[in-house]
Amino acid sequence: MSLKPISEIGEFGLIEKISSLCKKTIPEKSSIVEGIGDDCAVVELDTSRLQVSTTDLLVEGVHFDLLTTPLHHLGSKSLSVNVSDICAMNAKPSYALVSIALPPSASVDMVEQLYQGMTHAAGLYGTALVGGDTSASSTGLVISVTVVGETSKERITMRSGAKPGDMICVTGALGGAAAGLNVLMREKQIMMEHLQSGEEYDRNMMNDLKEYSGAIQNQLLPSARTDIIDYFERNSIVPGAMIDLSDGLASDLHHLCRRSQAGARIEEGRIPVLSEARHIADEFQQDALDYAISGGEDYQLLFTISGEQFSAIAEHPDISVIGSITPEEDGIVLSDIYGMNITLKEPGGFDHFRK
Amino acid sequence: MSLKPISEIGEFGLIEKISSLCKKTIPEKSSIVEGIGDDCAVVELDTSRLQVSTTDLLVEGVHFDLLTTPLHHLGSKSLSVNVSDICAMNAKPSYALVSIALPPSASVDMVEQLYQGMTHAAGLYGTALVGGDTSASSTGLVISVTVVGETSKERITMRSGAKPGDMICVTGALGGAAAGLNVLMREKQIMMEHLQSGEEYDRNMMNDLKEYSGAIQNQLLPSARTDIIDYFERNSIVPGAMIDLSDGLASDLHHLCRRSQAGARIEEGRIPVLSEARHIADEFQQDALDYAISGGEDYQLLFTISGEQFSAIAEHPDISVIGSITPEEDGIVLSDIYGMNITLKEPGGFDHFRK
């Protein structure tokens, strides 16, 4: 067996390879509308209904750190990140399957806290937890969540539907999750130093972090924007294209444009940055705009709509128009506050950021 | 946080606890027909169609050993064990989502071999691989597979439908997977001794194991019995209750009887034991009947049918009647070849066996 390391083809090369192998299992005329390539797979249920489904695998030491992540929050987040993918298809979650592999050190109370977080989130989103699998893990905690949702052929929104002239919108304020992660990493560093020097450390540290609580909550306890999907439905809005902000605005805008074969121009001054993220960025002598553009894990929705639909979203207090879709050859550019156009490069996204 | 170890409540206690937490997320009047407790979760799609779904998490060092498991086989098996759960509901698989977490040592070729095994199995079962997730693992390989299938309200078969008087049937021959595992474990032992003493070992060991190939194949490359589900459909057979043999005949019969509130009496002389398993048991000075009853992982189907339906299965060369369902108070008994009734205890199943 030759040993070409995965780093040689990168994560996208790997997904490309897996995707081309899996494509062969989808017959020409089948009920499968979309396989690998969007936020969810899409399957026809009948002449009008579509089922969407997504799955995420969370591995201790890669996706989360139990030193800085309470188990309630982890349980809730592991469901929310999947529901966020369902939202990105303009769909609503129906049910979820959850598997966990537990390290030898796991206690009954740990499992209870994890599931309490999950059932809390399930209640918020109206998602039933219907099954799963439990097993031992030879090392850390592993959580696998699959969420199945539903939408209609009229309402389904893919990454690929953006057209030049469409407005680019984003929900909420960005940068909070990245700012919160910075604070948590600093806190962990302090904790480790205390442990190494044998000093006491107050594990109930959250009390000291109150001024950062909004950003920390964005990182540990993000919410999927099912409220926006409900708003779209009530107001008969169907976005042209949509994706959820998991990798970061720059990466996710690139994903959306690539699938839509389009370009984009966004304006720095219009990007909604969480004010607490600005405050934290100042403290770390970093740029809050970097958190918002490259940070990832905000789990807000990035979508496009046509000019005719603008009036229907203009009233919403939590939706910002940040730019517009352009022809593919114009590339993806950020227009800074002085009107200078800068090519918006595709960063490595979330994983890269954590390095 | 108190630290009650999971061993104190056991795996079933843990599932009980998780199940009671998850139940709260299922509203009274919803489309969820069955949550945790059967081979699959069951959700109503419309007035006649039911969707069934199942998920399994496979962890290196717990569920498989890459020293004795070719990646092609692992890929195929990880899909087959889930499709087997779909079959156990008298349903057919529609699509699958696959997530993998890769250790730092993983190569592109390893991933290709794994997915080649999966797509091969997907082709056999007519299941489309439509999505998933790839990530890094801080330690070993982790595979999570979710399979979604479909059946009708008329054909759905739960664990709970067995009635006293029903005949108990099993497909195929049992004990092969356990016998194969024994051979592979012995081979691994020899391999480890060679490695420790610095001697050469021919990694292409399968050539030397030809006489055991049937049993090894049962262990490494089990097939889900979609052919039996097709046969049931063609012949209008609907079993009373059904379960797939993953934990072993004794454990799985207990699961089925517990959910059906019934007892069972099976006859030792009627249990179909794979002839190669007998040969291997002789060599290991063990009892092939133990492999068949407690071994697990044969992924055959155990089901009950009423006397009226017997003629429809009597002709099938690969279905054996091994006993009958009795009232709950009669317990679960094995009648040995001399006619002696022995209480069939519930062993720890598959995990226990591997200790």
Side-chain angles (χ1 to χ4, degrees):
Chain A
M1 195 190 299
S2 86
L3 290 169
K4 187 196 264 190
I6 287 163
S7 57
E8 233 176 69
I9 60 167
E11 195 186 338
F12 287 108
L14 186 70
I15 293 172
E16 200 66 45
K17 203 169 257 296
I18 290 171
S19 177
S20 79
L21 281 166
C22 290
K23 224 167 241 164
K24 292 177 201 153
T25 66
I26 302 176
E28 273 292 315
K29 283 188 183 176
S30 78
S31 62
I32 313 298
V33 180
E34 177 73 51
I36 298 168
D38 216 301
D39 290 89
C40 289
V42 184
V43 177
E44 238 174 38
L45 283 181
D46 54 38
T47 50
S48 66
R49 294 154 69 209
L50 294 174
Q51 183 163 76
V52 295
S53 51
T54 184
T55 188
D56 257 317
L57 192 60
L58 303 172
V59 180
E60 185 178 344
V62 177
H63 301 95
F64 59 89
D65 182 337
L66 288 179
L67 261 181
T68 55
T69 313
L71 286 157
H72 284 111
H73 294 194
L74 180 60
S76 174
K77 182 172 177 175
S78 63
L79 195 71
S80 294
V81 300
N82 281 285
V83 172
S84 184
D85 279 324
I86 299 284
C87 291
M89 310 302 289
N90 203 16
K92 294 180 184 185
S94 312
Y95 67 87
L97 301 168
V98 175
S99 295
I100 49 168
L102 296 165
S105 62
S107 68
V108 176
D109 311 76
M110 279 176 66
V111 177
E112 265 189 311
Q113 286 182 24
L114 190 67
Y115 274 87
Q116 277 162 0
M118 283 187 205
T119 55
H120 173 77
L124 291 179
Y125 305 129
T127 307
L129 300 183
V130 297
D133 187 24
T134 55
S135 90
S137 161
S138 45
T139 54
L141 176 63
V142 180
I143 305 170
S144 173
V145 177
T146 301
V147 178
V148 175
E150 198 173 317
T151 188
S152 66
K153 288 186 184 171
E154 288 72 39
R155 302 201 58 73
I156 183 93
T157 307
M158 310 279 217
R159 294 181 179 178
S160 55
K163 299 216 163 9
D166 285 356
M167 285 185 283
I168 302 174
C169 306
V170 71
T171 63
L174 309 183
L181 183 63
N182 271 356
V183 173
L184 288 171
M185 288 298 106
R186 182 177 64 183
E187 213 56 25
K188 183 186 168 186
Q189 188 62 34
I190 297 169
M191 209 190 296
M192 298 305 286
E193 281 162 14
H194 276 259
L195 281 172
Q196 274 160 13
S197 64
E199 284 173 60
E200 282 280 324
Y201 177 82
D202 180 9
R203 280 214 59 168
N204 199 8
M205 59 170 187
M206 292 305 162
N207 293 324
D208 305 315
L209 298 175
K210 253 188 200 142
E211 55 175 317
Y212 311 112
S213 65
I216 291 175
Q217 187 172 341
N218 280 6
Q219 169 58 227
L220 294 180
L221 205 57
S223 291
R225 298 303 304 256
T226 48
D227 62 316
I228 297 288
I229 305 309
D230 290 338
Y231 179 82
F232 285 166
E233 193 181 27
R234 280 199 308 277
N235 292 280
S236 305
I237 300 166
V238 180
M242 188 151 55
I243 188 169
D244 74 322
L245 293 178
S246 53
D247 289 345
L249 178 59
S251 279
D252 290 320
L253 182 60
H254 269 272
H255 296 327
L256 188 145
C257 287
R258 194 180 302 117
R259 297 285 294 185
S260 292
Q261 297 178 284
R265 183 176 171 281
I266 59 172
E267 290 175 46
E268 182 184 325
R270 290 176 175 270
I271 296 171
V273 179
L274 191 77
S275 62
E276 211 176 292
R278 290 191 196 280
H279 172 67
I280 291 169
D282 285 346
E283 207 180 304
F284 279 82
Q285 296 185 290
Q286 291 176 333
D287 187 349
L289 195 70
D290 273 351
Y291 293 168
I293 290 181
S294 317
E297 290 214 281
D298 282 316
Y299 298 103
Q300 297 293 340
L301 294 171
L302 176 73
F303 62 94
T304 69
I305 58 159
S306 62
E308 300 92 71
Q309 292 211 304
F310 175 66
S311 61
I313 62 129
E315 297 297 303
H316 198 291
D318 210 25
I319 295 177
S320 311
V321 176
I322 60 168
S324 57
I325 294 293
T326 58
E328 191 173 19
E329 55 272 25
D330 292 357
I332 299 172
V333 297
L334 175 74
S335 175
D336 76 7
I337 50 171
Y338 310 105
M340 168 92 85
N341 286 342
I342 309 155
T343 298
L344 188 66
K345 290 212 188 96
E346 185 172 9
F350 176 68
D351 281 336
H352 184 84
F353 189 80
R354 297 197 85 172
K355 262 182 196 160
Chain B
M1 194 191 297
S2 86
L3 290 169
K4 186 197 264 190
I6 288 164
S7 57
E8 232 175 70
I9 62 168
E11 194 186 338
F12 287 106
L14 186 69
I15 293 172
E16 199 69 43
K17 202 169 259 297
I18 290 172
S19 177
S20 79
L21 281 165
C22 291
K23 224 168 240 164
K24 291 175 201 155
T25 67
I26 302 176
E28 271 292 314
K29 281 190 183 174
S30 78
S31 62
I32 313 297
V33 180
E34 176 74 51
I36 299 168
D38 217 300
D39 291 87
C40 289
V42 184
V43 177
E44 238 174 38
L45 283 182
D46 55 37
T47 49
S48 66
R49 294 153 69 209
L50 294 174
Q51 184 164 73
V52 295
S53 51
T54 183
T55 188
D56 256 316
L57 193 60
L58 302 173
V59 180
E60 184 178 344
V62 176
H63 301 95
F64 59 88
D65 183 337
L66 288 180
L67 261 181
T68 54
T69 313
L71 285 157
H72 284 110
H73 293 194
L74 180 61
S76 174
K77 183 171 176 175
S78 64
L79 194 72
S80 295
V81 300
N82 281 284
V83 172
S84 184
D85 279 323
I86 299 284
C87 291
M89 309 304 287
N90 202 17
K92 294 179 186 187
S94 310
Y95 68 88
L97 302 167
V98 175
S99 295
I100 50 169
L102 296 166
S105 62
S107 68
V108 176
D109 312 76
M110 278 176 68
V111 176
E112 264 190 311
Q113 287 182 23
L114 191 67
Y115 274 88
Q116 276 162 0
M118 282 187 205
T119 55
H120 174 76
L124 290 178
Y125 304 130
T127 307
L129 300 184
V130 298
D133 187 24
T134 55
S135 90
S137 162
S138 44
T139 52
L141 175 65
V142 179
I143 306 169
S144 173
V145 178
T146 300
V147 179
V148 173
E150 197 175 319
T151 185
S152 66
K153 288 188 184 171
E154 289 72 38
R155 304 201 56 74
I156 183 92
T157 306
M158 310 279 218
R159 293 181 180 178
S160 54
K163 300 218 162 11
D166 284 356
M167 285 184 283
I168 302 174
C169 305
V170 72
T171 62
L174 309 183
L181 183 63
N182 271 355
V183 173
L184 288 171
M185 288 297 107
R186 181 177 65 183
E187 212 58 24
K188 183 186 168 187
Q189 189 62 35
I190 296 168
M191 209 188 299
M192 298 306 285
E193 283 162 13
H194 276 258
L195 281 171
Q196 274 159 13
S197 63
E199 285 172 59
E200 284 280 326
Y201 177 81
D202 180 11
R203 280 211 62 168
N204 198 6
M205 62 171 185
M206 291 306 163
N207 293 325
D208 306 314
L209 298 174
K210 252 188 201 142
E211 58 174 317
Y212 310 112
S213 65
I216 291 174
Q217 185 171 344
N218 281 5
Q219 170 58 226
L220 294 180
L221 204 59
S223 292
R225 300 302 306 256
T226 47
D227 61 315
I228 298 287
I229 305 308
D230 290 337
Y231 179 83
F232 286 165
E233 194 181 27
R234 281 199 308 277
N235 293 279
S236 306
I237 300 167
V238 180
M242 186 150 57
I243 189 170
D244 74 320
L245 293 178
S246 52
D247 289 345
L249 179 59
S251 279
D252 291 319
L253 182 60
H254 270 272
H255 297 327
L256 187 146
C257 286
R258 195 181 301 115
R259 298 282 295 184
S260 292
Q261 299 179 284
R265 183 175 171 281
I266 58 173
E267 290 176 46
E268 181 185 326
R270 288 175 174 272
I271 296 172
V273 179
L274 190 77
S275 63
E276 210 176 293
R278 289 191 196 280
H279 172 67
I280 292 169
D282 285 348
E283 206 179 305
F284 279 81
Q285 294 186 292
Q286 291 175 334
D287 187 348
L289 194 70
D290 274 351
Y291 293 168
I293 290 180
S294 316
E297 289 214 282
D298 282 316
Y299 297 103
Q300 297 292 340
L301 294 170
L302 177 72
F303 62 94
T304 69
I305 57 159
S306 62
E308 300 93 70
Q309 291 211 304
F310 174 67
S311 61
I313 62 129
E315 298 298 303
H316 197 292
D318 209 26
I319 294 177
S320 311
V321 177
I322 60 168
S324 57
I325 295 293
T326 58
E328 191 173 18
E329 56 272 23
D330 293 356
I332 298 173
V333 297
L334 175 73
S335 176
D336 76 8
I337 48 170
Y338 310 106
M340 170 92 86
N341 286 342
I342 309 154
T343 298
L344 188 66
K345 290 211 189 95
E346 186 171 9
F350 176 67
D351 281 337
H352 183 84
F353 187 82
R354 294 197 89 172
K355 262 180 195 160

